[in-house]
Amino acid sequence: MIGFAAQRLMELEVEGLTGATYGEKSQDRLVQRNGYRDRIWETRAGSVELRIPKLRKGSYFPGFLEPRRMAEKALAAVVQEAYVHGVSTRSVDDLVQAMGISGISKSQVSRLCTEIDEKVKTFLQRPLEGDWPYLWIDATYVKVRQNGRIVSVAVIIAVGVNNDGRREVLGMDIGPSEAETFWTAFLRKLARRGLRGVKLVISDAHEGIKAAIAKVLHATWQRCRVHFMRNVLAHAGRQGRRVVSAFIATAFAQDDAEAARAQWRRVSDQLRPKLPKLAAFLDEAEADVLAYMSFPAQHRVKLHSTNPLERVNGEIKRRTDVVGIFPNEEAITRLVGAILLEQNDEWAVQRGRYMTLETIAPLGDDPAVSFPAIAS
């Protein structure tokens, strides 16, 4: 009965979006339907199989499924866990009182955490199928209690685009530092789950990441252009920042890799007499900052930096700031993993591909974008 009612509700919602009923030929139709997507809906009455309608343009997600519910649940679980174990901050205690959950027991919190942890674990350990030409990696820091102390740990996130042009969250990990051993272990975990066919990895200049990428994935590394420019402008001085930024932008504006490298060297030579340290910095970074220029022009706006992860990181930062200090690393995985799971679901229901099939298909066998491994 629940499944029937939910299905009928979805059909009515989609009819409102399309302007016509299923199969109806109407001049008032706004968009065509495009089949269904299966999804399991967990309810108090048990699991319900749903067939969510898809549209040819735009996307549809039923309102009653509450796409942000998992992350809200995870946030509540982490807050409650910190509270019942007596390791919460004053802000968390105030939040508990405001939520009206101060009477919750440790056993209730444990059951809620277990429920979420199982779903997050399944998601983060799922097999990765097919080739993943592009991989974005970024790190953020959160505070956690360890052995009576408060320490800062790195939370690593990996997002990839597969050979179908679709974007997915591939994994996350937690570590004490950004050393090469940590990056190598993280990438090997992804490889064991099936990550292959990586052509380009985009990240900030984390310590040891370039060598780890070469060792594990045999792929090219793209240094995040946005973070690089911040470092460059720090070398330029307050008076010269605008000029230096405009000079370097001329290299990014070139049509191909060869022209970009030639212009980069001209800019470096122009700056060398007055800013020799900056010129040397540009010389050293040339290959890493311009790596994306050897890939299809249609992809470059998404390849030159970690900006495609900005929204995901913003959501993670917003939720983790509420907690402040996590009671343990499992709580970090629970909350961040739930956020990533929901983000992945959101991308899955989007009609449009992140990159078109026509532009991404040649990456599979194009020698122009197949690079030798970087020496470790």
Side-chain angles (χ1 to χ4, degrees), residues 79-80 83 90-103:
V79 167
Q80 291 167 14
Y83 179 78
R90 176 67 64 86
S91 61
V92 166
D93 291 344
D94 292 343
L95 182 60
V96 167
Q97 299 296 331
M99 293 168 70
I101 56 177
S102 56

Side-chain angles (χ1 to χ4, degrees), residues 70-242:
M70 169 75 78
E72 295 293 350
K73 240 167 143 181
L75 177 56
V78 171
V79 167
Q80 291 167 14
E81 184 181 32
Y83 179 78
V84 300
H85 287 284
V87 293
S88 56
T89 61
R90 176 67 64 86
S91 61
V92 166
D93 291 344
D94 292 343
L95 182 60
V96 167
Q97 299 296 331
M99 293 168 70
I101 56 177
S102 56
I104 196 165
S105 68
K106 289 186 179 182
S107 61
Q108 288 174 303
V109 172
S110 179
R111 284 197 299 272
L112 178 58
C113 291
T114 300
E115 172 194 339
I116 297 169
D117 290 348
E118 288 175 358
K119 294 180 181 179
V120 169
K121 181 180 178 181
T122 299
F123 169 64
L124 293 177
Q125 294 183 359
R126 74 193 189 281
L128 303 176
E129 300 176 352
D131 289 347
W132 299 85
Y134 299 133
L135 183 70
W136 290 262
I137 299 177
D138 205 2
T140 189
Y141 281 85
V142 299
K143 289 182 171 59
V144 63
R145 295 183 187 273
Q146 287 183 355
N147 302 319
R149 297 185 303 117
I150 298 173
V151 299
S152 184
V153 294
V155 179
I156 309 302
I157 302 160
V159 169
V161 168
N162 60 21
N163 51 5
D164 197 32
R166 298 198 177 276
R167 182 168 44 159
E168 289 189 26
V169 175
L170 301 187
M172 68 159 285
D173 207 348
I174 302 168
S177 67
E178 298 177 36
E180 182 183 336
T181 51
F182 176 50
W183 291 113
T184 301
F186 175 58
L187 294 177
R188 280 177 175 161
K189 287 179 186 176
L190 294 178
R192 283 195 295 270
R193 287 172 47 212
L195 180 66
R196 67 170 192 261
V198 179
K199 302 285 187 181
L200 185 69
V201 181
I202 305 99
S203 79
D204 194 9
H206 305 291
E207 181 184 350
I209 194 169
K210 183 176 178 180
I213 289 168
K215 185 186 299 182
V216 180
L217 301 178
H218 308 290
T220 299
W221 176 54
Q222 166 65 40
R223 182 174 182 174
C224 176
R225 204 175 81 181
V226 173
H227 290 94
F228 170 77
M229 287 303 296
R230 290 173 188 164
N231 294 336
V232 163
L233 297 182
H235 284 78
R238 184 173 298 179
Q239 300 298 323
R241 287 177 184 174
R242 184 172 296 180

Side-chain angles (χ1 to χ4, degrees), residues 284-355:
E284 183 182 356
E286 177 189 326
D288 297 330
V289 178
L290 297 180
Y292 77 102
M293 291 294 294
S294 296
F295 289 80
Q298 301 93 327
H299 299 172
R300 292 174 193 164
V301 68
K302 297 172 180 177
L303 298 180
H304 63 65
S305 73
T306 56
N307 279 358
L309 297 184
E310 188 173 350
R311 181 183 171 189
V312 180
N313 282 333
E315 187 67 15
I316 290 171
K317 188 67 175 171
R318 186 172 72 87
R319 302 298 181 96
T320 55
D321 281 351
V322 173
V323 179
I325 301 170
F326 284 82
N328 48 53
E329 289 191 1
E330 289 77 11
I332 300 174
T333 301
R334 183 177 308 123
L335 179 54
V336 177
I339 295 169
L340 296 176
L341 172 56
E342 288 186 349
Q343 180 61 75
N344 203 67
D345 282 351
E346 188 177 309
W347 287 338
V349 300
Q350 289 178 346
R351 168 60 186 161
R353 289 177 169 85
Y354 191 61
M355 294 177 177

